[in-house]
Amino acid sequence: MTSTIVWVHGDCLAPDGPALRAYPDAPAVFVWDDALLQRRRLSLKRIVFIYECLLELPVTIVRGNVAAEVTAFAAAHGARRVATSDSVSPGFAAIRRRLAAALTVEVLAAAPFVPPDVPLDLRRFSRYWQRAGPLALQPTPPDAP
Amino acid sequence: MSTPMRRSFADRDDLVAYLREQFPAAAARDAAVSPIRGGQRAARERLARLNPVRYAATRNALDGAVTGLSPYLRHGVIGLADVRDAALAAVRRAADAGKLVNELGWRDYWQRVYRQLGRGIWRDREPLKTGWPASAYAVALPDDVAQGTTGLACMDAFSQQLRDTGYLHNHARLWLAAYLVHWRRVRWQAGARWFLEHLLDGDPASNNLSWQWVASSFSSKPYWFDRENLERLSGGRFCRSCARANECPFAGDRARLAQRLFPQLPPEVPR
Ligand SMILES: Cc1cc2nc3c(=O)[nH]c(=O)nc-3n(C[C@H](O)[C@H](O)[C@H](O)COP(=O)(O)OP(=O)(O)OC[C@H]3O[C@@H](n4cnc5c(N)ncnc54)[C@H](O)[C@@H]3O)c2cc1C
């Protein structure tokens, strides 16, 4: 019995991504979202590129409805928790909400480009960069996630 | 749970044959496969070749020392912090990595804006500053642009490269987008959708917001260019063989070009 599985998605395909790193022994799953592939008309070359990334990850690859497949994968492994890496996309937020109906969801962030919690003005790049630029030019501290 | 997909392949051809069969609709639309390989090993090879000083000096030219890291960043195969750290490690003074880190900042910025806007990223963020009403723009991508048969050597080459490789230099993206939106007067959304089908780095944040920046719904003025600009940064490679070189829509005096593209705007102050 495993208590946690990892959900790998297309915004974080690193072998050392935060979720895979936090749970190196957990079963991991990636789901091709068939509806999204159709809606976006993703070309074959994009699919090949993503698949090549997936082949470097210790992950089971399936296709279908993402939330349903991840939930079924958790059930198959007797897991009640799912860990994943953060993403800004609204599609990610929607799936995360659906997963939370059946599972405890833990979302982990990758090493930040600019330290988190710095208030940034997003109206125009120039305003954002005034504040973010000097911080972004600092190397990642050694104790970062 | 549905049956797991295959994970073991003899070689790339074997993988591609399997994916053609698994995703027949995508393969029927366009069977091209990019020479750019997925995976962190490929990304790390590029990271190891990073040259921030040459990057800063040459990045605007089509054959400049750009990193080619965008598909890997897009899919989180490596992170912006990894690239920043590699850039800092490759220079003596942090300032020498400044230009590259600044460009990385654009990706971070667009990601943050996307978190705020969500699906609103498909709508004009602000009114256009072109003098044209939104209704003046065509909804659909013109066939000759999609197929690369406009007769303009530059635009046809960009269209072809987009479909064959899923990658374009930043300036090729800017020029193709400006051509579509300002010369052909097509809504930016049509171009954005087309790019997302093909770009290996296709990302609604960087893509749609860059299109909005070109169109002027997320900037204070439209982005456009002229032949001199394109010819210089492309080393003249397109104009030399262009069938329409003598009736180039990008040629001529900048003020007159601006007047033709945006007749409702006050005349441009000569630079
Ligand atoms: C119309 C249009 C559409 C675009 N669509 C996308 C897209 O879907 N996905 C995407 O990642 N980029 C997009 N860009 C931004 C930019 O063109 C690419 O990121 C860049 O050309 C990728 O090549 P590179 O990795 O060699 O870039 P480099 O110049 O080597 O830059 C290094 C990294 O910095 C980031 N970066 C650099 N410039 C930009 C920029 N202007 N905006 C955002 N990030 C930047 C990228 O992650 C890039 O990989 C678009 C630009 C335009 C004008």
Side-chain angles (χ1 to χ4, degrees), chain A residues 9-18 29-34 36-64 68-74 76-77 86-92 94 96-98 110-129 132-133 135-141, chain B residues 1-9 12 15-16 18-20 22-27 29-34 36-42 44 71-78 80-82 84-85 88 94-95 97-98 101-106 108-109 111-116 118-119 122 125-126 129 161-166 193 195-205 218-220:
Chain A
H9 54 71
D11 290 346
C12 188
L13 298 179
D16 52 354
V29 65
F30 174 93
V31 187
W32 286 101
D33 187 337
D34 278 322
L36 184 77
L37 281 182
Q38 268 191 12
R39 203 164 59 240
R40 283 278 172 79
R41 297 167 49 92
L42 278 211
S43 62
L44 186 70
K45 59 187 163 298
R46 294 204 65 178
I47 296 173
V48 169
F49 181 86
I50 294 169
Y51 215 97
E52 285 178 329
C53 295
L54 287 171
L55 291 178
E56 287 186 358
L57 308 183
V59 66
T60 301
I61 307 168
V62 299
R63 53 194 298 179
E69 291 294 331
V70 173
T71 307
F73 186 81
H77 287 88
D86 199 12
S87 157
V88 302
S89 101
F92 171 81
R96 175 185 178 168
R97 275 195 303 277
R98 261 174 251 136
F113 179 62
V114 175
D117 307 324
V118 176
L120 296 165
D121 182 345
L122 297 182
R123 274 173 294 174
R124 284 286 191 260
F125 178 81
S126 52
R127 291 168 187 262
Y128 151 83
W129 197 243
L135 299 169
L137 215 53
Q138 305 290 325
T140 304
Chain B
M1 209 185 94
S2 59
T3 330
M5 296 183 74
R6 255 176 76 189
R7 289 201 46 113
S8 143
F9 301 93
R12 197 178 202 218
L15 166 67
V16 170
Y18 172 72
L19 293 178
R20 281 211 174 103
Q22 287 291 313
F23 300 97
R29 277 197 302 271
D30 180 343
V33 172
S34 176
I36 301 167
R37 305 254 172 157
Q40 201 181 62
R41 226 170 300 134
R44 292 216 175 279
Y72 308 97
L73 285 164
R74 154 65 182 93
H75 288 293
V77 177
I78 51 168
L80 288 172
D82 297 322
R84 179 259 319 280
D85 293 345
L88 288 173
V101 174
N102 179 274
E103 293 305 314
L104 298 172
W106 277 98
D108 186 59
Y109 176 65
Q111 291 280 302
R112 289 169 190 268
V113 173
Y114 189 27
R115 206 190 272 276
Q116 283 188 343
R119 301 197 200 282
W122 286 99
R125 243 196 130 218
E126 299 160 12
K129 289 96 185 171
Q161 196 195 338
L162 172 68
R163 287 173 286 121
D164 285 352
T165 71
R193 245 179 277 118
F195 269 29
L196 287 179
E197 288 173 24
H198 293 287
L199 286 175
L200 300 187
D201 61 31
D203 181 323
F218 194 4
S219 68
S220 57

